[in-house]
Amino acid sequence: MNQNRSLLVIYTGGTIGMVQDSETGSLMPFNFENLYEYIPVLKNFNYTIDFFVFDSLIDSSNVNPEFWIKLAGVIETKYEDYDGFVVLHGTDTMSFSASMLSFMLENLNKPVIFTGSQLPLGVIRTDGRDNFINAVEIAAAYQNDTPIVPEVCIFFDNKLFRGNRTTKFNSENFKAFLSGNYPLLAEVGVKIKYHKEYIQKPNFKKLKVYKNIDRDVALLKLYPGISKQLVQAVLHTEGIKALVLETFGSGNAPTDVWFIEAIEQAIQNGIIVFVVTQCKGGSVEIGKYETSRDLGRIGVISGYDITTEAAITKIMFLLGNINSKENIRELLQTSLRGEITV
Ligand code: ASP
């Protein structure tokens, strides 16, 4: 059933593609032409695997909108030539990139599987080998000539996640990603077990790639003792059009008059305030506690169970592509790619 599928592996950087220099001991990117030396078993797949290597390989801390546009552009140009895509990417900002790509690629009807590793491929105990092999198999998995997972996903530590539902939550454990509000799309054991009820269905429409990204969004994480000066400084950042407000628990915030007035003023000045929770699971529920009632009254928008990563990238995407603020407000509360449960 998976015979002769063709895949494009896009290597952008990150730990997975590193080897240890035998002389200096430091990590450096390895030559992909030697990949079969590191993962000889790849040859046993009956797939055609081509590689697209970014000319400057980056640590994913350097990811920015230009990078996303380039990555989406590669998938757009090669879309018709391949059955699936594997993106090798650093883990640090993988959840942001997977979220952003999910928004940029409308009507995606092929698998785009991000993966990476905590240990470089050139290290004996690397998790990169398994992550890579499984990502390849999932990107090539078709049934009745239809891809099983036509979504932007992250594969890590034997688990397949919807990309825009993930957060990197551990910097050294192989279990590095979490999807606190959406079930796994697949689990790998002896077999790859797909949870089809949670996977998007293909719509067979033509892929549309959006390449406008507007970065005029700010993120403010609340903490006890946050000062008026800091809140004001963020809200008065030049050019800012939207604020993601990371609140406590189910959308709670200080009830200090100065705080509520500052947010209210910002909303009246046209800034969109999108409320998410600092918790890794659960949803914003404005009005549940007294400490969120004022926020509801002044017109913030609830992000429900969206992750901060998906919230920021969704706003950048919407600001870049939708003119009317009213439409943006509405779309923020609509599931575009399965990123939010409304
Ligand atoms: N700093 C690296 C990166 O995100 C870590 C990793 O690849 O896991 O690019």
Side-chain angles (χ1 to χ4, degrees), residues 68-176:
W68 290 326
I69 292 167
K70 189 168 154 190
L71 180 55
V74 174
I75 295 173
E76 181 179 30
T77 343
K78 309 277 184 184
Y79 192 71
E80 295 306 330
D81 302 337
Y82 294 95
D83 297 307
F85 299 84
V86 172
V87 180
L88 301 180
H89 189 292
T91 56
D92 289 347
T93 62
M94 194 185 285
S95 294
F96 287 91
S97 290
S99 298
M100 184 51 110
L101 266 285
S102 77
F103 298 122
M104 294 171 87
L105 306 174
E106 189 178 69
N107 301 329
L108 180 70
N109 282 295
K110 292 184 179 179
V112 173
I113 315 294
F114 279 71
T115 195
S117 66
Q118 295 283 44
L119 280 175
L121 268 183
V123 167
I124 295 176
R125 278 195 312 105
T126 182
D127 52 331
R129 197 182 310 110
D130 281 356
N131 286 346
F132 192 13
I133 292 169
N134 286 305
V136 162
E137 188 160 346
I138 290 167
Y142 273 61
Q143 201 169 33
N144 305 328
D145 231 20
T146 305
I148 297 182
V149 195
E151 291 202 34
V152 178
C153 301
I154 288 183
F155 182 83
F156 222 84
D157 189 43
N158 292 324
K159 292 172 198 70
L160 185 71
F161 304 94
R162 173 168 297 159
N164 59 30
R165 289 292 193 150
T166 60
T167 300
K168 181 175 179 185
F169 84 114
N170 197 307
S171 64
E172 54 186 35
N173 203 302
F174 286 160
K175 196 168 156 194

